[in-house]
Amino acid sequence: MDFLSHQSIPAILKVNARQFAKKTAVSFKKQGVFLSLTYEEFYERVLMLARGLVKVGLKPEDPVCIFSENRLGWAISDFGIQSARGIPVPIYATNTGKQAAYIINHCGAKIVFVSTKAQYEKLLEVRDEIPGVELVISYERFIGDRSFPVYTQYQLSEAGEPLLPEEKVEIERMIDQIAQQDLITIIYTSGTTGVPKGVMLTQYNIMSNAQIGLKQLGALKDQETFLSFLPLSHVLERTAGYYATLLSGQHVAFAEDVKKVMENMVEVQPTWMVSVPRLFEKIYSRVHENAHQLSPLRRSIFHRALQVGRDYANKKYVDGQVDGLLAMQYRLYDRLVFRKIRDRFGGRLRGFICGGAPLDRTINEFMWAIGLPVFNGYGLTETSPALTLCNLGAVRFDSVGKPLAMTELKLAEDGELLVKGPQVMRGYYKSEEKTAEIFSDGWLKTGDIARIDENGFVYIVDRKKEIIVTAGGKNIAPQPIENELKLDKYISQAIVFGDRKPYLVALLNPNLERLIDWSREEELDYLDTDELVKSNRVRALYTERIAELNKNLPPYATIKEFVLIPGEFTIEGGELTPTLKLKRKEIYNKYKEMVDQMYMKKGNGLVFQTTSTDGEKK
């Protein structure tokens, strides 16, 4: 379908509701069972909600907030608000009440959708700070406070009352009035570098990005299922995993929870998923963990299979040619090893679309080797989001692919990537100053340092603001070093610091499963994980692992000191964004004392410290 022959995303849904009337549009889990709605049924729910919003006074271009995790209600709200000509403004489900209040007040929303009582209670706590909110709508039924009444989406939609023909005509007339240059959403950035900014994206921005992205990726089959687990509040999932899927007549299944993604993959058997690198890091770690438990013979077969898989992936997808013997070896190991791995993830996956943060080359190559290709891309909230994307005919395992059609890229003198294209935002909401700052002669400044090779492949070096400049004047990109650290079987997460300092230091989360296995083999005695990581033998283990990494780095980029932190960085702990990127500023502030103390050492060799998950030195 040519998306751009239509004026809006709701207009395409209207067509699809007729063309794919009985085809499954969305699936969701309720009381332990996945249920579904056809395109016809989903569209009916959307129109009912739009009817209700019009009745309570929603006017064209009124912002409406959605404070929810991924679920059916989110999707109905989103399309319903658009169909009533409002502007959906998502709020991450992990946000606090105060964070939500800022967005609600800044955009001026009078109506807020919430998913659960827990989200409602966040708003109730800041009720005095959001005086403009007139109506709260919940996807679940519960009793709210008398001073802050809440209604259900079912009630607002008057779901028990079928749409009258004249009501449907009226809502569809409103849909027909939506223009390509109208705002489809205002998405507030995560605010990791300051106050969140409201990114204004148009119907044309999103539709063009979805259509061009799908074309660059390659044709979809007639029956595709996308499992949606990244927050729909984030533009990557919203455009690539949700809009692109529904606009092309495919099936979106909403995962129960981020923590149940692996389980849901087996249940739903998706063919495609959108993800960030953290999922692939976990898959890489889990597969290697399982291989570690195999007998010596089977472990040897696994490692041989991986070597053949890597050779095959490079020959076929990078070089574009595979000799017969290698292809035959790969088919053998695919039956013996890789097919069994894929079955653990549903068995039908054709590929992943990856963005949000750099994906390590080793992990990307591993995913292609086992037959779960990752189509790496790059973009920003401000660009709807995709600017580049790999495809089967254009793969480099350390690249984010080539520019999308109609997208122009160039490098500034300092290496910053500058862009123009149909996906570039209108600007920041109520902030002409910030809008002017991000544009230079019509080019949007991405804030990322990049390089572009002679074949047009784009490589992201690091965030411009995250480049470390040491006291000795050396410029160091921390993310490649962090990715190398995370490849170590005893390290789960890592973050490197060293800006304006004499050397680099690191905070490390151990891979506790691996470390506990090692401790059994070494017959260590300990009461809990805090005591385990304080063991002198554990200190020696990690000192040795970091020393091995340092051998492959130039002297100025080696890790001189590190702190081991039990547990993992989390969204709840404030260390990760909702899309699982490291919040460097927050992590530094939380562990500032530990980081600063590492610079009180002389830096002569590795110094090992440990800390509890609350930042208290041990």
Side-chain angles (χ1 to χ4, degrees):
M1 176 184 290
D2 180 3
F3 299 168
L4 298 181
S5 65
H6 300 274
Q7 289 299 304
S8 71
I9 283 176
I12 299 174
L13 181 64
K14 183 176 76 169
V15 172
N16 287 353
R18 296 178 176 88
Q19 184 175 349
F20 307 115
K22 303 304 179 183
K23 190 175 180 181
T24 299
V26 293
S27 293
F28 53 98
K29 203 166 191 181
K30 188 173 183 179
Q31 297 180 343
V33 179
F34 269 98
L35 306 176
S36 62
L37 293 179
T38 64
Y39 272 87
E40 184 178 57
E41 293 167 335
F42 178 68
Y43 183 58
E44 187 82 359
R45 296 274 193 99
V46 167
L47 295 184
M48 286 180 171
L49 180 59
R51 173 182 66 182
L53 287 168
V54 171
K55 285 186 177 181
V56 296
L58 184 71
K59 299 293 190 295
E61 299 186 0
D62 278 356
V64 180
C65 287
I66 304 176
F67 192 12
S68 169
E69 66 286 344
N70 293 16
R71 55 189 296 166
L72 174 64
W74 204 107
I76 293 173
S77 296
D78 176 42
F79 276 97
I81 294 163
Q82 290 184 59
S83 298
R85 300 200 63 197
I87 303 171
V89 181
I91 302 174
Y92 284 110
T94 52
N95 277 13
T96 65
K98 284 191 173 295
Q99 290 170 325
Y102 175 83
I103 294 172
I104 292 166
N105 290 332
H106 190 268
C107 74
K110 297 178 182 178
I111 301 173
V112 181
F113 285 84
V114 298
S115 54
T116 63
K117 188 174 183 180
Q119 302 294 58
Y120 165 80
E121 288 177 342
K122 290 180 186 178
L123 298 183
L124 184 60
E125 290 175 2
V126 295
R127 177 65 180 108
D128 293 341
E129 299 176 32
I130 48 174
V133 174
E134 299 174 358
L135 186 62
V136 177
I137 306 299
S138 172
Y139 304 145
E140 297 181 2
R141 187 183 299 276
F142 56 83
I143 298 175
D145 190 273
R146 288 185 178 181
S147 66
F148 197 37
V150 57
Y151 303 90
T152 66
Q153 184 162 278
Y154 185 91
Q155 289 172 312
L156 181 63
S157 301
E158 296 178 298
E161 298 293 329
L163 279 168
L164 297 175
E166 57 269 26
E167 290 175 329
K168 185 173 183 179
V169 168
E170 178 60 21
I171 299 301
E172 291 191 331
R173 184 185 65 80
M174 297 180 71
I175 290 174
D176 292 341
Q177 291 175 342
I178 303 171
Q180 289 188 353
Q181 296 308 318
D182 288 345
L183 289 186
I184 186 175
T185 190
I186 302 170
I187 300 178
Y188 282 79
T189 58
S190 57
T192 56
T193 58
V195 176
K197 301 182 289 290
V199 176
M200 296 187 290
L201 299 176
T202 66
Q203 296 280 345
Y204 180 74
N205 288 151
I206 297 287
M207 287 195 299
S208 62
N209 204 235
Q211 179 168 306
I212 294 171
L214 282 174
K215 185 175 181 180
Q216 182 136 333
L217 183 66
L220 297 178
K221 294 183 177 180
D222 289 337
Q223 297 290 334
E224 302 281 13
T225 296
F226 279 68
L227 179 62
S228 171
F229 81 96
L230 288 183
L232 284 168
S233 304
H234 188 268
V235 70
L236 173 61
E237 180 69 44
R238 194 163 168 192
T239 298
Y242 166 62
Y243 284 142
T245 308
L246 291 176
L247 299 191
S248 54
Q250 305 298 338
H251 169 207
V252 175
F254 294 117
E256 291 176 85
D257 186 90
V258 173
K259 297 175 183 177
K260 294 188 176 182
V261 171
M262 298 293 189
E263 177 185 325
N264 291 161
M265 287 170 75
V266 175
E267 296 173 298
V268 172
Q269 296 183 313
T271 56
W272 287 93
M273 289 178 65
V274 176
S275 184
V276 290
R278 189 61 184 148
L279 175 66
F280 309 124
E281 292 166 5
K282 286 184 174 293
I283 291 174
Y284 179 89
S285 177
R286 177 176 289 191
V287 171
H288 281 82
E289 290 285 345
N290 291 336
H292 180 68
Q293 307 298 326
L294 297 174
S295 67
L297 175 60
R298 295 181 67 190
R299 190 160 60 243
S300 175
I301 293 173
F302 169 78
H303 287 296
R304 175 58 184 157
L306 273 189
Q307 185 56 57
V308 169
R310 291 191 187 98
D311 291 344
Y312 178 82
N314 276 281
K315 289 288 186 182
K316 181 173 182 178
Y317 300 111
V318 177
D319 299 338
Q321 53 185 1
V322 180
D323 62 61
L325 177 60
L326 181 59
M328 183 176 67
Q329 289 177 316
Y330 184 80
R331 286 195 295 271
L332 171 64
Y333 285 116
D334 189 62
R335 287 196 302 272
L336 291 176
V337 179
F338 302 145
R339 190 176 299 171
K340 295 175 183 177
I341 294 174
R342 294 195 298 270
D343 286 344
R344 297 175 191 169
F345 305 108
R348 295 202 309 144
L349 273 165
R350 295 181 57 215
F352 294 89
I353 299 168
C354 177
L359 175 62
D360 181 80
R361 177 192 177 118
T362 300
I363 293 177
N364 195 11
E365 188 181 60
F366 164 80
M367 295 297 295
W368 283 79
I370 65 174
L372 293 175
V374 175
F375 296 88
N376 212 7
Y378 163 77
L380 311 168
T381 303
E382 289 85 347
T383 58
S384 306
L387 292 166
T388 69
L389 186 64
C390 288
N391 60 37
L392 286 174
V395 176
R396 298 290 185 274
F397 296 125
D398 53 349
S399 168
V400 292
K402 294 184 176 182
L404 298 186
M406 301 173 65
T407 301
E408 299 178 67
L409 305 181
K410 74 174 183 177
L411 299 179
E413 289 185 5
D414 62 358
E416 182 177 5
L417 188 64
L418 309 179
V419 305
K420 284 183 180 180
Q423 67 274 66
V424 174
M425 68 171 181
R426 179 185 294 180
Y428 292 121
Y429 190 58
K430 296 181 181 178
S431 185
E432 293 182 5
E433 180 182 350
K434 293 293 183 184
T435 300
E437 286 177 6
I438 201 172
F439 283 97
S440 176
D441 296 327
W443 292 84
L444 183 135
K445 297 183 286 187
T446 65
D448 286 306
I449 302 298
R451 67 181 178 88
I452 304 173
D453 72 14
E454 65 278 6
N455 296 311
F457 284 96
V458 179
Y459 302 80
I460 302 301
V461 177
D462 215 324
R463 290 294 293 166
K464 183 177 178 179
K465 64 179 179 292
E466 291 175 0
I467 294 292
I468 293 172
V469 182
T470 66
K474 295 293 186 180
N475 285 26
I476 303 170
Q479 287 182 346
I481 300 173
E482 291 160 356
N483 286 336
E484 285 299 313
L485 286 165
K486 288 186 292 185
L487 287 176
D488 189 283
K489 64 182 179 180
Y490 293 111
I491 298 173
S492 177
Q493 292 169 300
I495 185 167
V496 172
F497 296 103
D499 197 47
R500 298 187 298 277
K501 299 293 186 180
Y503 50 82
L504 300 186
V505 301
L507 301 179
L508 307 175
N509 292 155
N511 182 326
L512 287 176
E513 286 186 48
R514 249 314 157 78
L515 184 58
I516 289 170
D517 285 345
W518 176 87
S519 70
R520 291 196 190 103
E521 294 171 4
E522 296 293 313
E523 298 181 347
L524 294 186
D525 291 326
Y526 59 93
L527 292 175
D528 54 27
T529 54
D530 280 355
E531 183 174 331
L532 173 62
V533 299
K534 287 189 288 184
S535 161
N536 288 333
R537 289 163 71 181
V538 170
R539 296 181 187 185
L541 170 68
Y542 280 86
T543 298
E544 180 183 332
R545 311 300 292 193
I546 300 301
E548 282 298 312
L549 168 70
N550 282 342
K551 289 180 181 179
N552 301 316
L553 296 171
Y556 62 83
T558 55
I559 306 297
K560 297 295 195 298
E561 315 273 354
F562 63 92
V563 172
L564 190 64
I565 303 171
E568 288 199 350
F569 297 136
T570 63
I571 297 172
E572 294 76 16
E575 299 102 343
L576 300 180
T577 69
T579 51
L580 309 181
K581 288 184 284 190
L582 293 172
K583 290 185 175 182
R584 294 181 182 274
K585 183 177 179 181
E586 283 75 2
I587 293 173
Y588 175 77
N589 289 337
K590 186 170 184 176
Y591 298 101
K592 184 178 185 299
E593 183 181 351
M594 294 292 100
V595 174
D596 290 348
Q597 285 180 358
M598 285 190 278
Y599 288 108
M600 295 173 67
K601 310 294 180 182
K602 292 183 179 180
N604 295 325
L606 292 169
V607 175
F608 185 91
Q609 301 178 46
T610 63
T611 180
S612 65
T613 51
D614 61 6
E616 180 184 356
K617 182 182 175 184
K618 296 292 184 181

